[in-house]
Amino acid sequence: MDFIDYYSVLGVTKEATPEAIKKAYRKLARKFHPDLNPDDAEAKRKFQQLTEANTVLSDPDNRKKYDQYGPDWQHGDEHAQARHQRQRTDNESVFGGSSFSGNTDGVEFSDFFSSMFGQSAGGRGSGPQTRYRGADYQAELHQSLREAYTTHSQPLTLNGRTISISVPAGVEPGQKIKLTGYGVPGENGGPNGDLFITFIIGEDPRYRRKRNDLYVTESIALCTAVLGGEAIINTLAGRMKIPVASGTQNGGMVRLKGKGFPVYKQAGSFGDLYVQWHILIPTHLTDAQKDLFTQLAVL
């Protein structure tokens, strides 16, 4: 059987720290986890190999033995036999004659691993198995601007299971939230992974959003722009009447404080609504109306 380079399996160097080994294993285990790659034999093989490498390199004693013998592992027991025989009596008096054993159910270890470390090196004696945290799920949730305006419940189907989540008002495009424990189940009693949801907010045909502010264009009659008056406009919260100053110019803008988009998780707080005026120029004038405009032009 061939020697397996566990450092290459995890993509780390022989000088890697325990933290680097742990980080590398978690990253790759999430990628090749069987729950995320159903019916993928190659991913299953890779995941088992990663688990095997982590079992060896994350344990100081296993790693020391592995580093000591390396490719010469087949002769490792010959070199250690004499020393082991000398220590055996003392070990039996301390540990009650117990020999090293472990238990990592569900993982099929290679012949190389079993020959070098026994059936498993996941623990000592009858101690507990190593617990592994489950991988995280990543999901996208598409919302319209009007949906994102209010707090609401939203069904989400994930890995064949439908859950209902509460979406707070004011979520922003690209914002990510975490649902703890909704990821891949952990192994050997380890904690579940988490679910990370990224929000995709669609564009609205009427409103333009900048953070918590909204921008909208409203049309008013020429006479209202010239003389001033009132205009009724539609907002996401309903219709409202606002004043129009005399002499309003086309493209002019007014700010309605607190009438914009809700601030995320700040109840009662809103951005502003900016209204840009579009002045309607009258068409199809009668002769009498044209005469009036002519008189105005002369004046």
Side-chain angles (χ1 to χ4, degrees), residues 101-175:
S101 65
N103 185 11
T104 49
D105 295 336
V107 177
E108 299 175 5
F109 290 103
S110 66
D111 291 339
F112 163 74
F113 179 91
S114 299
S115 296
M116 189 171 188
F117 297 99
Q119 290 301 311
S120 140
R124 292 188 177 273
S126 58
Q129 301 179 39
T130 301
R131 299 193 306 165
Y132 295 106
R133 179 184 181 277
D136 295 329
Y137 279 138
Q138 303 285 340
E140 289 184 351
L141 190 57
H142 292 256
Q143 303 270 282
S144 69
L145 184 71
R146 295 168 190 266
E147 287 175 323
Y149 183 80
T150 59
T151 298
H152 62 283
S153 295
Q154 178 80 32
L156 179 64
T157 300
L158 188 68
N159 200 28
R161 180 177 59 146
T162 300
I163 61 175
S164 180
I165 64 173
S166 178
V167 181
V171 291
E172 297 187 20
Q175 182 174 342

Side-chain angles (χ1 to χ4, degrees), residues 42 57 95 100 108 125 148 150 197 247 262 280:
E42 178 61 22
L57 300 184
F95 297 106
F100 176 83
E108 299 175 5
T150 59
I197 300 176
L280 297 174

Side-chain angles (χ1 to χ4, degrees), residues 181-198:
Y182 280 86
V184 177
E187 293 186 39
N188 300 330
N192 293 351
D194 300 325
L195 168 62
F196 290 88
I197 300 176
T198 301

Side-chain angles (χ1 to χ4, degrees), residues 9 57 65-66 104 139 157 164 167 204 225 252 255 272 287:
V9 170
L57 300 184
K65 180 180 179 181
Y66 177 80
T104 49
T157 300
S164 180
V167 181
D204 189 86
R255 184 183 74 161
D272 300 330
D287 291 339

Side-chain angles (χ1 to χ4, degrees), residues 75-267:
H75 304 292
D77 286 339
E78 296 174 9
H79 299 308
Q81 186 174 8
R83 183 176 66 248
H84 174 73
Q85 187 64 36
R86 290 193 302 269
Q87 295 176 343
R88 183 174 179 180
T89 301
D90 292 338
N91 287 343
E92 288 179 345
S93 64
V94 175
F95 297 106
S98 296
S99 61
F100 176 83
S101 65
N103 185 11
T104 49
D105 295 336
V107 177
E108 299 175 5
F109 290 103
S110 66
D111 291 339
F112 163 74
F113 179 91
S114 299
S115 296
M116 189 171 188
F117 297 99
Q119 290 301 311
S120 140
R124 292 188 177 273
S126 58
Q129 301 179 39
T130 301
R131 299 193 306 165
Y132 295 106
R133 179 184 181 277
D136 295 329
Y137 279 138
Q138 303 285 340
E140 289 184 351
L141 190 57
H142 292 256
Q143 303 270 282
S144 69
L145 184 71
R146 295 168 190 266
E147 287 175 323
Y149 183 80
T150 59
T151 298
H152 62 283
S153 295
Q154 178 80 32
L156 179 64
T157 300
L158 188 68
N159 200 28
R161 180 177 59 146
T162 300
I163 61 175
S164 180
I165 64 173
S166 178
V167 181
V171 291
E172 297 187 20
Q175 182 174 342
K176 182 177 290 189
I177 65 172
K178 180 179 77 171
L179 298 181
T180 303
Y182 280 86
V184 177
E187 293 186 39
N188 300 330
N192 293 351
D194 300 325
L195 168 62
F196 290 88
I197 300 176
T198 301
F199 286 92
I200 309 298
I201 311 298
E203 294 185 1
D204 189 86
R206 173 173 169 80
Y207 298 96
R208 183 165 53 92
R209 179 184 178 186
K210 284 187 177 181
R211 298 298 300 269
N212 298 314
D213 294 332
L214 291 175
Y215 293 78
V216 67
T217 299
E218 291 284 351
S219 298
I220 55 175
L222 176 62
C223 59
T224 303
V226 173
L227 301 175
E230 294 179 332
I232 297 177
I233 66 171
N234 292 311
T235 72
L236 290 176
R239 291 166 62 87
M240 65 179 300
K241 182 185 295 185
I242 62 174
V244 179
S246 60
T248 293
Q249 301 295 305
N250 188 55
M253 187 175 292
V254 295
R255 184 183 74 161
L256 303 179
K257 190 173 182 179
K259 299 300 181 181
F261 215 72
V263 180
Y264 181 72
K265 286 193 174 181
Q266 293 186 26

